[in-house]
Amino acid sequence: MTSKERVRKVLEHKIPDEVPWGEFAIDYDTVEKILGHETYLRAKAKSQVAFWEGRRDEVAESWREDIIELYKKLDFMDIINLDAMCTGLLPPKDYKPEKPKKLDENTWEFEDGRIYKHSFITGDITLVQDPQKWTREFKLEDFNPEEEPELPDPSQFEVIDAVIEVFKDEKFILGPSGKEASFFLFTGMERGLIEYIMHPEIVKHALKTAVNKANKLDKYYIREGQDGILWGTDFASNKGPFISPKMFREFCLPAIKSRVKNVKNLGMKVMKHACGNNTELMDMFIEAEYDAYQSIQESSGLNLKWLKENYGDKITLWGGVNVENLVSGTPEDIRKDVKKAMEILKPESGYIFGTSHTIAVGTKYDNFMMMI
């Protein structure tokens, strides 16, 4: 049975020859240990700086060669996700990047006053100051649902198409789409949540615009040979959803349903990466017709046994090994995580093995090897 066949079996809740394994992403430090050399693959800060400096082709070559080599070495992994950040989708070949001013070794400022810093903990470059965060005004007329979107340049897919060509007959490949369009936030989490209360009609109009744009773009982004989509917007913290389930149903669910229907009409399976405690949203995940729920995170308070008993026959569950233990735990912690996940989630199929998030920056290599 090929990886592609194995994953399809599980998505249909049929018994495969073995439990399939997939990850949202494997970050650069683990990739470098596996390959034995430096990489731009999932090196988010390093890749972003290279783009700013005009070294786009250098990054493209690394992503392409390293992801192919990585999954040839990890031949036991069944899923390749090409739509994670710094993995597949590139800037156009002839694009002219806006180059920020370097304030110090780890800080950059753009002309509009936005300041970004390099986080060594996560390996990201993060927006830490936005002068317009609270002052920028949003109006209904700023969003036009009927506007025709800008189409992607073919060069943006050179890495994705190369990887698909190598693995299309064997692996289950998750690729790009016209974007998710599910939970809209103006200028970040803090102000974005306030806008749901203060200007709900503008939020709904912005969401409608984003959905219509994404639906139009799907046919240009989805690649021949890919099997599905893995969307990555989070809806919850460890304390529960960012907005009430009632508001989620009113604002987000219609957008999600439209997006799921559109990509499924193009032959795609739809997987949902959603960190945090999504217990109160699970019925809506089923209603939305997601095929799989990835990043099931027990450490957030989400009970694996409850999830399996109540939803295991309705949606494929994907994850179970705590990312916190990969980073800060011991090999014995990982042994226990794997055993627990397999015992609870494997029976009667509908389970894909993996972590509760990613093979994240800071993962101890001994812990990764223990998981294998």
Side-chain angles (χ1 to χ4, degrees):
M1 185 174 288
T2 66
S3 290
K4 190 183 292 283
E5 292 167 341
R6 188 172 297 122
V7 175
R8 285 176 175 169
K9 280 275 189 186
V10 167
L11 293 175
E12 295 168 358
H13 293 264
K14 297 178 181 177
I15 305 295
D17 59 339
E18 59 186 53
V19 174
W21 184 351
E23 297 295 344
F24 183 89
I26 303 174
D27 281 340
Y28 74 95
D29 50 344
T30 299
V31 174
E32 290 179 347
K33 290 183 177 74
I34 294 168
L35 300 187
H37 59 75
E38 291 188 13
T39 186
Y40 282 105
L41 183 62
R42 283 293 292 178
K44 290 176 276 187
K46 184 178 176 182
S47 293
Q48 182 59 73
V49 171
F51 287 143
W52 285 339
E53 294 177 350
R55 293 184 282 118
R56 179 258 186 210
D57 290 351
E58 180 182 329
V59 175
E61 181 180 8
S62 173
W63 288 2
R64 181 179 62 251
E65 293 184 359
D66 292 347
I67 197 167
I68 291 171
E69 183 182 356
L70 177 68
Y71 282 96
K72 283 185 175 179
K73 285 181 177 289
L74 301 179
D75 58 354
F76 52 85
M77 283 199 178
D78 299 282
I79 297 173
I80 300 176
N81 180 24
L82 296 174
D83 199 33
M85 184 184 295
C86 295
T87 300
L89 194 64
L90 290 158
K93 198 168 183 64
D94 60 351
Y95 91 117
K96 299 293 187 289
E98 180 186 1
K99 189 172 182 180
K101 177 183 177 183
K102 193 168 186 178
L103 301 182
D104 60 40
E105 193 61 31
N106 301 299
T107 311
W108 297 264
E109 182 179 16
F110 283 87
E111 288 186 1
D112 63 3
R114 286 174 297 132
I115 295 178
Y116 288 78
K117 276 189 174 292
H118 179 196
S119 167
F120 290 97
I121 296 174
T122 64
D124 291 291
I125 290 181
T126 305
L127 178 65
V128 295
Q129 182 175 315
D130 181 358
Q132 299 184 53
K133 180 175 183 177
W134 297 103
T135 59
R136 182 182 172 190
E137 293 185 19
F138 296 96
K139 303 174 183 177
L140 283 173
E141 53 265 32
D142 292 335
F143 306 95
N144 178 11
E146 306 306 319
E147 184 180 1
E148 290 299 316
E150 182 180 350
L151 302 184
D153 185 274
S155 64
Q156 293 181 256
F157 304 104
E158 64 178 78
V159 170
I160 293 170
D161 290 345
V163 176
I164 289 175
E165 184 60 32
V166 173
F167 294 108
K168 62 184 178 182
D169 296 327
E170 170 64 25
K171 303 292 187 182
F172 191 91
I173 297 175
L174 300 168
S177 66
K179 292 192 177 177
E180 183 171 0
S182 58
F183 179 52
F184 197 91
L185 292 170
F186 292 108
T187 69
M189 182 67 75
E190 296 92 342
R191 181 176 175 183
L193 291 176
I194 290 172
E195 293 295 318
Y196 277 77
I197 300 295
M198 301 299 294
H199 301 108
E201 71 288 349
I202 297 180
V203 174
K204 288 180 179 178
H205 197 60
L207 256 174
K208 181 180 179 182
T209 300
V211 167
N212 287 358
K213 177 182 177 181
N215 284 345
K216 291 175 182 177
L217 286 173
D218 279 335
K219 63 182 179 181
Y220 300 101
Y221 275 85
I222 292 173
R223 313 307 291 167
E224 184 177 353
Q226 79 180 66
D227 301 287
I229 306 295
L230 177 54
W231 285 326
T233 301
D234 291 335
F235 300 145
S237 71
N238 290 357
K239 297 181 179 180
F242 296 133
I243 58 177
S244 71
K246 180 181 178 181
M247 289 181 70
F248 190 89
R249 177 172 290 280
E250 177 185 353
F251 285 86
C252 305
L253 187 58
I256 294 169
K257 284 183 170 181
S258 177
R259 292 296 297 120
V260 170
K261 181 180 179 181
N262 203 67
V263 296
K264 285 196 171 188
N265 285 342
L266 293 170
M268 296 293 100
K269 296 293 186 181
V270 183
M271 327 294 229
K272 183 69 188 92
H273 169 100
C275 298
N277 190 335
N278 292 285
T279 300
E280 295 179 272
L281 303 180
M282 282 307 302
D283 287 338
M284 284 181 273
F285 282 16
I286 305 305
E287 191 175 336
E289 299 188 3
Y290 289 138
D291 292 293
Y293 169 24
Q294 192 269 341
S295 69
I296 50 175
Q297 186 182 1
E298 188 180 35
S299 60
S300 72
L302 189 69
N303 186 282
L304 296 185
K305 190 171 185 293
W306 174 87
L307 197 61
K308 181 69 174 181
E309 289 176 350
N310 289 277
Y311 297 97
D313 61 339
K314 301 178 181 69
I315 190 170
T316 294
L317 302 173
W318 179 1
V321 176
N322 291 301
V323 66
E324 298 92 339
N325 284 341
L326 282 169
V327 174
S328 303
T330 66
E332 186 56 32
D333 293 327
I334 301 303
R335 184 191 294 276
K336 291 177 182 177
D337 279 358
V338 172
K339 187 172 188 289
K340 182 176 182 179
M342 294 289 271
E343 288 180 347
I344 293 174
L345 300 168
K346 173 185 173 179
E348 299 180 16
S349 191
Y351 176 52
I352 299 170
F353 178 77
T355 66
S356 64
H357 187 266
T358 59
I359 309 296
V361 171
T363 290
K364 295 175 183 175
Y365 197 60
D366 285 350
N367 288 346
F368 176 68
M369 295 304 295
M370 174 58 77
M371 183 166 60
I372 294 173

